[in-house]
Amino acid sequence: MPLPEDAPELSPALDPWEGLEPSGGQGSGGGRPSKPGPGLHLVATPIGNARDITLRALDVLAAADLIVCEDTRVTSRLMQIHGLHRPLMPYHDHNAAKVRPEILARLAQGAVIALVSDAGTPLVSDPGYRLVVDAVAAGIKVTTLPGASSVLAALTLAALPTDRFLFAGFLPPKSAARRETLGELAPVRATLVFLESAQRLADMLADAAAVLGPRPAAVARELTKLFEEVRRETLDSLAAHYAAAGPPKGEVVVVIGPPTEAAGASEAEIDAALQAELAHAGPSAAAAKVAAAFNLPRRQVYARAMALKAAAP
């Protein structure tokens, strides 16, 4: 992330890794990892590629007294891939209220418990939130082991502004409720990120186009997997594509650009101005000129300039 123009320069003597201890994992030179401390450990797991897991995550999963997971079949497969064997307990929307007291009781007795989701970072669109709230209220230590996240992965690939974004989870399944929610989000001056099922994708995009207009957007699927795909077009174009092509395979994340601030200026007009400037100037200079002309945030226009440049033949 670039520093503000008036930010003081950092001393070259500063070491960003100073004071950090070796992980203790294989090849780290730190020897055999010690057993993690008692408490609830929120462990991010891969969203597709099984190698996208951290050394800390493997250490905790290998030593936990219990691993709490959405689907034991999914987590068992991940454990098998990495040669790990620990007790598993299912924890999902249908049994959370029943098993949460048991988990909290074991935590109170000093157990080391890891909480994982089927894929990605726990608590993002899964029932782990209530468990964390109750654990904190009970004075139990809660720590996080950050890692893979489909939300951030899609955001970084979308070629849309990343300086401000809103994750809104899944939209309502019915069109009327979905359009109402999109209407509430329309004025938000940030990139919007949604999860969506493949079966509802075309309808969701059509509703988004109707409510938000032809904003630039991206549909990311099969992230980190062999057939990873990111389609970057306007909402109406994406809706037409998936209506014709049918539901795609894999998990889907939809990223939608923020609203434009230019009164009366359409996305097409801004793109045309950018393309004209890009014909004889670099993305930075082109973005600066178009942003000033349309009274738009320079970062937003620069991101669009880079997307247009990348898409150019």
Side-chain angles (χ1 to χ4, degrees):
M1 181 176 67
L3 294 172
E5 293 181 359
D6 58 349
E9 292 185 2
L10 294 178
S11 167
L14 292 178
D15 182 356
W17 309 115
E18 184 177 1
L20 296 186
E21 298 179 359
S23 69
Q26 292 182 355
S28 68
R32 197 173 177 81
S34 59
K35 184 176 177 67
L40 181 62
H41 300 256
L42 311 179
V43 181
T45 56
I47 59 175
N49 191 314
R51 294 178 63 85
D52 290 338
I53 190 166
T54 69
L55 296 175
R56 283 184 66 213
L58 292 175
D59 289 347
V60 169
L61 293 178
D65 298 312
L66 176 68
I67 299 174
V68 176
C69 52
E70 286 184 86
D71 188 329
T72 56
R73 295 168 298 181
V74 174
T75 303
S76 292
R77 176 59 180 150
L78 178 67
M79 298 286 282
Q80 180 184 15
I81 289 171
H82 292 289
L84 304 177
H85 305 278
R86 302 305 299 159
L88 305 178
M89 173 186 284
Y91 181 79
H92 44 70
D93 287 326
H94 302 294
N95 74 343
K98 179 180 179 181
V99 303
R100 189 161 54 244
E102 179 183 346
I103 297 170
L104 292 168
R106 295 192 60 172
L107 286 167
Q109 294 167 4
V112 176
I113 296 183
L115 174 67
V116 303
S117 65
D118 283 350
T121 301
L123 276 68
V124 180
S125 294
D126 78 18
Y129 164 74
R130 188 72 253 174
L131 177 60
V132 169
V133 170
D134 290 353
V136 170
I140 295 165
K141 182 178 180 180
V142 179
T143 187
T144 186
L145 285 75
S149 165
S150 62
V151 173
L152 292 178
L155 180 66
T156 57
L157 289 173
L160 294 168
T162 58
D163 55 332
R164 181 183 298 176
F165 67 93
L166 171 68
F167 172 60
F170 285 92
L171 287 167
K174 300 295 185 180
S175 180
R178 186 163 54 225
R179 291 195 177 204
E180 181 179 356
T181 300
L182 286 165
E184 294 170 356
L185 295 172
V188 176
R189 307 213 67 79
T191 296
L192 304 176
V193 185
F194 302 94
L195 303 180
E196 190 52 272
S197 72
Q199 295 296 325
R200 292 199 300 261
L201 179 60
D203 291 339
M204 177 269 190
L205 290 169
D207 285 340
V211 174
L212 303 177
R215 292 193 194 181
V219 173
R221 68 179 189 88
E222 296 285 81
L223 291 171
T224 77
K225 297 181 181 179
L226 181 62
F227 298 106
E228 174 180 286
E229 179 188 54
V230 182
R231 297 189 68 89
R232 305 173 185 89
E233 301 176 41
T234 58
L235 281 170
D236 51 337
S237 295
L238 288 169
H241 169 78
Y242 287 106
K249 294 182 179 180
E251 303 295 325
V252 176
V253 184
V254 178
V255 185
I256 302 174
T260 176
E261 292 182 0
S266 68
E267 300 285 350
E269 290 171 329
I270 296 169
D271 282 358
L274 275 173
Q275 288 169 336
E277 292 298 325
L278 287 169
H280 56 79
S284 181
K289 188 168 183 178
V290 173
F294 288 94
N295 191 27
L296 290 169
R298 184 180 176 282
R299 287 183 180 179
Q300 175 183 329
V301 180
Y302 179 75
R304 186 57 187 159
M306 292 298 292
L308 290 173
K309 183 179 179 181

